[in-house]
Amino acid sequence: LCSDKLFVAANNIKGSRDLRFSVVRYGNVMGSRGSVIPFFLEKAKTGVLPITDPLMTRFNISLSEGVDMVLWSLENSLGGELFVPKIPSYRITDLAEAIGPSCDKPVVGIRPGEKIHEEMITTSDSFTTIDLGGYYAILPSDGSVQQLYQQAGISSSAVPTGFAYNSGSNPEFLNVEKLRSLICKHVDSAFQPL
């Protein structure tokens, strides 16, 4: 979060130049190096899928959805926002079942620094977060961007005080079949559960 806020703060020191700085924040990109999906696809061949914690959840976004979000933010940013997409979550146990239904799934424990759920909007962010329909925007706390949104007539609504957006309490979850379909579409067109 610190780097997000530093980048957005660049709007305060840009001077009179016609520049706008905004940030996009999203969850795991399917098939990316940081995603567990390629790891599970490889491990499934051994017959064992290690589960760090059965309660673990993650947000999910495809590369094309991430690119679409960046392009949308380029067109719609007023400067200073931190954009967060409304995307589905998955349970690590459902992902393991989607990839390797016949694999053993031992619980191996959480690695240092790993979280049970991803949190993209914290409760302390709720005071300056607005709902833009398909995205949330965390605005600077000085109120300057809120005024720009009002002047531009951009439709938005404030989120409730105390609102948080995390992968565990997200109302939209991907099931096993949907995960399989997305893996075929975005990661490996020849994918077959093992």
Side-chain angles (χ1 to χ4, degrees):
L1 293 179
C2 183
S3 62
D4 292 346
K5 292 185 178 172
L6 287 174
F7 186 70
V8 171
N11 288 287
N12 298 328
I13 58 171
K14 67 181 173 122
S16 60
R17 293 175 288 178
D18 186 21
L19 295 173
R20 289 178 285 175
F21 295 97
S22 295
V23 173
V24 295
R25 178 189 291 170
Y26 42 77
N28 287 297
V29 177
M30 289 195 85
S32 70
R33 190 173 44 174
S35 169
V36 70
I37 295 171
F39 174 74
F40 271 9
L41 290 172
E42 196 59 35
K43 290 298 282 182
K45 297 173 188 173
T46 70
V48 178
L49 291 177
I51 305 295
T52 51
D53 188 297
L55 299 176
M56 187 170 285
T57 62
R58 290 293 180 261
F59 282 110
N60 188 72
I61 192 168
S62 69
L63 179 59
S64 61
E65 290 167 331
V67 169
D68 289 345
M69 179 187 178
V70 169
L71 294 174
W72 180 90
S73 68
L74 285 171
E75 291 179 15
N76 294 281
S77 169
L78 298 180
E81 307 98 319
L82 195 155
F83 292 109
V84 177
K86 294 181 181 179
I87 54 178
S89 296
Y90 62 80
R91 292 171 185 84
I92 198 73
T93 52
D94 287 343
L95 180 64
E97 184 64 22
I99 291 174
S102 64
C103 292
D104 289 331
K105 300 172 186 77
V107 175
V108 297
I110 295 177
R111 297 176 302 211
E114 196 169 27
K115 297 180 179 179
I116 298 290
H117 308 295
E118 287 183 293
E119 189 165 36
M120 290 203 280
I121 300 174
T122 66
T123 55
S124 59
D125 290 327
S126 68
F127 299 101
T128 58
T129 299
I130 59 173
D131 187 332
L132 297 169
Y135 302 99
Y136 295 108
I138 303 170
L139 306 177
S141 58
D142 67 3
S144 59
V145 179
Q146 287 96 323
Q147 290 174 345
L148 292 175
Y149 270 80
Q150 290 168 352
Q151 291 167 359
I154 296 172
S155 177
S156 66
S157 59
V159 300
T161 299
F163 172 82
Y165 187 54
N166 78 59
S167 60
S169 61
N170 188 6
E172 185 182 354
F173 271 84
L174 299 169
N175 63 26
V176 170
E177 287 306 315
K178 185 64 175 173
L179 284 164
R180 286 179 180 155
S181 172
L182 290 172
I183 291 168
C184 283
K185 182 177 180 181
H186 298 290
V187 181
D188 180 359
S189 60
F191 164 71
Q192 291 293 319
L194 296 175

